[in-house]
Amino acid sequence: MRRMLIVAMVTALATTASADVPADNAAADPHDWGIGLMVSVLSHPGGHLGIPLPDGTALATTLYAHYQLRPRWLVTAGLGTPSGLGAAIWIGVEPTLRLWASDNKSTTLELYVNPAAQLGFAGPDYYANHDNEFVGYAYSYSGPLTVAVRLPIGVRLRWLHDRFETSVELLEMPCFTPTIENIVAAQLGAGVRF
Amino acid sequence: MFAEPLAQLSPMPGIEPYDVNVSLYSDGAQKQRFIWLPPGSDVHAAADRWVLPTGAYLIKNFYFPNDERDPTAGDHLVETRFLIQGDSGLTASTYVWNDDQTDAVVSGGNLDVPVHWIDTAGTAHDVSFHVPGTSLCESCHDNRELGWRTRQIVHPGTYSDGTTDQAAHLVAEGVLDAPPPAGLVLVDPTGSDPIDARARSYLDANCSHCHATVGDASSTGVFLDYESTDAAHLPLCKSTGTVGGNDKVIVPGHPEKSVLLSRMFASDPFVRMPRGPTRIPDPDGTAVISAWIQQMPPGGCE
């Protein structure tokens, strides 16, 4: 059901992004590039790779970059340790829908989805979650390959005249190798645009 | 290296059996150890860690007795590990035994072997023995073997050559170049020695390969080798990450409040200690550590 909703959102956003935009939104965004950091504040299954927490777990962390291809379309890429997995990279596209803007457009709120293809390693958390086994941190970059699809949906605040951005999103990540499973996470992001 | 039938582990000439004073806990598996040396070479008995010659093979077989009450019931071999001393370090490999016990096949590890065995009390155990991935070997061994030390090899024994100590026997067999200098000897954690000696022996054998000045956990400042008795490294009242609501490594007099023990019982493989392929808390180890902490005088953090 959730997946159907996301597919419907992607379709709606793609349709909206492709439509003629009103004149007051027609100017291309002045800052085409963005880089930032995403952390998973809640995730299932959880993991131990990322920003360490006092309880021994960690905030799964991903570095991201995006390029504003068209007014409402971005190309995105990321590198990090997604929840419950080892090191991974991903690349995707991101249609957006502006929900609100301040009078002088210095602050905007937008809805986005960011379907992406991800390739990585299973990592020690995969074996801890599946086999109750610690296999060593070397598996973070040398374990079995994982192939996954990222399906996040979120809202992003772009502020200080598009210089900074912060976001919150729900990420659903169906994985197809080494086993079929679904990883769900709530993520916070922050970045800069230039 | 072994005569047929392989499962009897009858060593061929040149393969010398040996034993250690305190074994690393492995979910109840028992072990048989052997060493093979290139012709003309021997082990140098240094003051602490002995030096193996290039080309030396260390062989360790993991097995469970089918029925501890009946030696004639035989053993079930699960794994045979090799450590080979090279010019610049150790190479590890492992072999997993087939169900017929006729052969063992090289494996990358990281798999489970179901085992059924009966203990001396007649209790049946069904365990899933985990064969660790060979990539994990380096994490504990850190390019060194762990058992060839005075503290592990020197112990009384009765040998066919008339020697009454393992080290002397190994000298007589040409394995060891000379009797080792006198030094610390670990005691049986389940024996009758004082509790402090038994607990420290257990920690030295099961924890100090990481928790010492040289080891994966050296940065923690928690040193559990026998020699670390100074306040800075013996973790009495030392703060640490919270486990099970506890945040001190050892709270004297209170094993239930001590993270050292909490970690031995932890189900999370990232939290559980010793970190490695074990899944079942060590009943003997947890008992001796618990008794050791219990009898400690107050340390001011209770």
Side-chain angles (χ1 to χ4, degrees):
Chain A
M1 181 65 186
R2 189 166 49 204
R3 208 160 296 140
M4 288 174 60
L5 178 63
I6 291 175
V7 170
M9 287 296 307
V10 171
T11 305
L13 281 166
T15 304
T16 304
S18 299
D20 291 336
V21 297
D24 58 337
N25 291 336
D29 293 310
H31 303 112
D32 292 337
W33 291 92
I35 58 172
L37 187 74
M38 300 286 294
V39 294
S40 295
V41 294
L42 292 171
S43 64
H44 176 79
H48 297 77
L49 299 181
I51 299 172
L53 296 174
D55 65 352
T57 58
L59 295 177
T61 308
T62 309
L63 295 173
Y64 72 83
H66 58 68
Y67 175 71
Q68 194 86 46
L69 196 62
R70 293 175 61 187
R72 294 293 172 257
W73 281 91
L74 295 96
V75 176
T76 63
L79 165 70
T81 53
S83 301
L85 298 175
I89 58 173
W90 51 263
I91 186 166
V93 293
E94 182 177 300
T96 64
L97 175 66
R98 181 170 291 177
L99 300 176
W100 169 85
S102 61
D103 290 340
N104 60 359
K105 304 293 188 294
S106 65
T107 305
T108 58
L109 182 70
E110 62 187 17
L111 178 71
Y112 69 89
V113 293
N114 182 203
Q118 179 176 284
L119 183 66
F121 298 100
D125 280 308
Y126 175 86
Y127 290 93
N129 293 326
H130 284 258
D131 300 336
N132 189 28
E133 208 60 59
F134 180 77
V135 297
Y137 287 103
Y139 272 67
S140 303
Y141 50 85
S142 62
L145 289 179
T146 62
V147 174
V149 173
R150 297 173 65 94
L151 298 172
I153 179 170
V155 290
R156 177 183 294 119
L157 189 71
R158 293 161 62 166
W159 43 288
L160 280 181
H161 295 281
D162 211 37
R163 275 295 184 190
F164 299 98
E165 59 184 26
T166 48
S167 60
V168 57
E169 68 179 36
L170 174 67
L171 169 65
E172 184 159 356
M173 194 160 51
C175 301
F176 304 102
T177 66
T179 54
I180 296 176
E181 65 171 337
N182 197 32
I183 297 174
V184 182
Q187 305 204 114
L188 299 177
V192 296
R193 298 174 70 99
F194 53 93
Chain B
M1 292 193 165
F2 300 99
E4 292 285 353
L6 291 177
Q8 290 185 358
L9 296 179
S10 301
M12 300 288 277
I15 309 291
E16 183 68 32
Y18 72 97
D19 202 356
V20 296
N21 287 327
V22 182
S23 187
L24 181 72
Y25 174 69
S26 300
D27 276 352
Q30 300 185 27
K31 304 168 191 180
Q32 279 189 325
R33 298 173 175 82
F34 301 87
I35 184 171
W36 176 86
L37 298 174
S41 67
D42 52 31
V43 177
H44 174 55
D48 184 22
R49 293 188 183 276
W50 300 352
V51 181
L52 267 63
T54 298
Y57 275 66
L58 296 178
I59 308 156
K60 186 159 68 175
N61 298 284
F62 293 73
Y63 68 93
F64 290 82
N66 290 318
D67 188 340
E68 275 192 323
R69 302 166 301 177
D70 178 13
T72 64
D75 303 319
H76 184 87
L77 290 162
V78 290
E79 183 189 0
T80 296
R81 296 180 194 173
F82 286 82
L83 277 181
I84 305 165
Q85 181 68 56
D87 288 330
S88 56
L90 293 172
T91 301
S93 61
T94 193
Y95 291 72
V96 179
W97 287 82
N98 58 19
D99 290 339
D100 295 336
Q101 302 282 276
T102 55
D103 200 2
V105 180
V106 66
S107 170
N110 203 21
L111 53 89
D112 295 333
V113 178
V115 179
H116 176 83
W117 65 286
I118 301 172
D119 64 21
T120 53
T123 303
H125 299 267
D126 287 287
V127 302
S128 184
F129 180 83
H130 187 78
V131 177
T134 49
S135 63
L136 194 58
C137 301
E138 171 63 20
S139 177
C140 294
H141 280 277
D142 195 17
N143 224 12
R144 64 204 163 141
E145 45 75 31
L146 301 175
W148 282 80
R149 308 173 69 178
T150 301
R151 65 187 65 190
Q152 284 282 28
I153 298 293
V154 173
H155 67 71
T158 302
Y159 301 94
S160 58
D161 58 8
T163 52
T164 56
D165 176 86
Q166 179 170 239
H169 170 69
L170 291 173
V171 172
E173 292 295 308
V175 174
L176 210 54
D177 62 349
L184 168 70
V185 175
L186 301 183
V187 303
D188 180 2
T190 64
S192 57
D193 288 279
I195 183 67
D196 188 73
R198 289 191 282 125
R200 297 311 303 269
S201 293
Y202 179 86
L203 292 173
D204 190 280
N206 283 269
C207 312
S208 71
H209 46 278
C210 290
H211 280 277
T213 52
V214 176
D216 263 12
S218 58
S219 62
T220 65
V222 175
F223 295 168
L224 298 175
D225 55 314
Y226 206 107
E227 290 84 348
S228 287
T229 57
D230 61 295
H233 298 111
L234 184 65
L236 300 184
C237 295
K238 185 181 180 70
S239 294
T240 183
T242 302
V243 177
N246 301 323
D247 64 356
K248 298 286 188 296
V249 180
I250 295 177
V251 179
H254 294 274
E256 76 285 358
K257 296 181 182 179
S258 301
V259 168
L260 180 66
L261 204 57
S262 300
R263 283 187 177 270
M264 296 175 73
F265 284 109
S267 56
D268 185 337
F270 276 83
V271 176
R272 187 166 60 236
M273 291 290 167
R275 178 171 283 173
T278 60
R279 292 167 172 160
I280 305 168
D282 180 1
D284 293 333
T286 51
V288 71
I289 296 303
S290 181
W292 178 56
I293 296 175
Q294 185 73 52
Q295 55 85 47
M296 287 181 177
C301 60
E302 296 78 13

